[in-house]
Amino acid sequence: MFKWVMIPEIQKAEEKFKKLEAELARPEVVSNPEKLKIVSREYSDLKDVMGKIEKFHKLEKAESETEIIAKQDVPEMTAIAKEELEKIQQEKAVLEAEIKKELTPKD
């Protein structure tokens, strides 16, 4: 069974995004232009990185599935799966670095 790897920065971003979505649905936020502006800006800033986080989770799932194939006792499949696994891990590492960079507070 597939298990998510929760990287603290990603987990915090997902939690904050859900909180901001809930805030945007609250009547007291919608009726307050200043509060709506602040929450909307935060939501918009975070929405861009959420696409990368979603892709990261898809890569985690693909990695898990490919690892299962790589462990099978079929030499042709194992070789292909190991090659694919390496590509997935490289792409995942690059994406993780990009996400962390985007989530790092700007001074």
Side-chain angles (χ1 to χ4, degrees), residues 16-28:
K16 184 173 183 179
F17 190 72
K18 287 178 186 174
K19 180 183 172 199
L20 291 170
E21 281 182 324
E23 286 285 310
L24 287 171
R26 294 179 55 211
E28 55 271 16

Side-chain angles (χ1 to χ4, degrees), residues 69-82:
I69 295 168
K71 292 176 183 174
Q72 292 180 356
D73 195 23
V74 182
E76 301 84 23
M77 292 295 289
T78 302
I80 293 169
K82 286 181 179 180

Side-chain angles (χ1 to χ4, degrees), residues 2 7 9 15 19 28 37 40 52-53 56 63 67-68 77 82 84 89 93-94 98 107:
F2 178 68
I7 296 168
E9 295 88 349
E15 289 169 0
K19 180 183 172 199
E28 55 271 16
K37 181 180 174 183
S40 294
K52 289 183 179 183
I53 290 173
F56 180 83
E63 179 182 36
E67 284 175 340
I68 291 168
M77 292 295 289
K82 286 181 179 180
E84 184 63 23
Q89 290 170 338
V94 168
E98 288 176 12
D107 294 329

